[in-house]
């Protein structure tokens, strides 16, 4: 049993900043990677950023230089610092984690419930 809980979304004006948080809890042996995805109305879900247990990162071209993903000290949390927000960033943002609950268990993907980010003047 694994749960991901997201927070930090909201309504902001263009150019503002938001910091999203994701906390994983439950039966966790190891977290290999965590990431953030987003889905805007009428569009496919897309990868925004991800970070591995070795702290390697990957970003969508549209957010490079503006967004930063990081892991908490306990390694069961992930953050997405979003600066210089644009209307095009408006979407539901979902936390994703690749987790196994025991050494012999397979890696599985888990998803949070999503948090709304709206950027509008």
């Amino acid at each position: 049993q694994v749960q991901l809980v997201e927070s930090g979304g909201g309504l902001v004006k263009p150019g503002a900043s938001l910091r999203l948080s994701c906390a994983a809890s439950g039966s966790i042996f190891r977290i290999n990677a965590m990431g953030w995805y987003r889905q805007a109305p009428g569009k496919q879900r897309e990868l925004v950023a991800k970070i591995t247990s070795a702290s390697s990162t990957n970003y969508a071209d549209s957010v490079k230089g503006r967004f930063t993903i990081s892991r908490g000290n306990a390694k069961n949390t992930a953050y997405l610092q979003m600066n210089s927000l644009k209307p095009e960033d408006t979407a539901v943002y979902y936390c994703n984690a690749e987790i196994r609950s025991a050494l012999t268990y397979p890696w599985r993907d888990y998803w949070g419930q999503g948090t709304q980010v709206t950027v509008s003047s």
Side-chain angles (χ1 to χ4, degrees):
Q1 189 85 2
V2 173
Q3 303 85 37
L4 300 181
V5 179
E6 302 135 321
S7 62
L11 172 62
V12 298
K13 294 184 180 299
S17 296
L18 283 173
R19 185 173 185 253
L20 306 184
S21 299
C22 174
S25 62
S27 183
I28 299 172
F29 174 74
R30 195 79 177 269
I31 300 177
N32 186 53
M34 300 184 74
W36 290 92
Y37 292 72
R38 68 186 181 188
Q39 188 165 23
K43 298 183 66 176
Q44 294 281 326
R45 183 182 63 189
E46 65 173 345
L47 174 68
V48 177
K50 66 179 180 181
I51 185 167
T52 71
S53 59
S55 298
S56 298
T57 58
N58 186 36
Y59 295 92
D61 288 341
S62 60
V63 307
K64 286 180 179 177
R66 299 188 297 122
F67 291 9
T68 303
I69 189 170
S70 61
R71 297 281 294 275
N73 290 335
K75 301 296 184 180
N76 67 335
T77 55
Y79 305 95
L80 186 68
Q81 179 66 45
M82 304 186 294
N83 298 327
S84 302
L85 282 162
K86 304 175 180 179
E88 304 94 278
D89 297 317
T90 296
V92 177
Y93 285 70
Y94 297 92
C95 181
N96 169 264
E98 185 179 351
I99 295 170
R100 60 170 145 196
S101 296
L103 181 61
T104 58
Y105 283 30
W107 295 104
R108 292 182 58 187
D109 279 341
Y110 294 88
W111 294 89
Q113 80 287 351
T115 184
Q116 177 71 47
V117 172
T118 302
V119 185
S120 176
S121 60

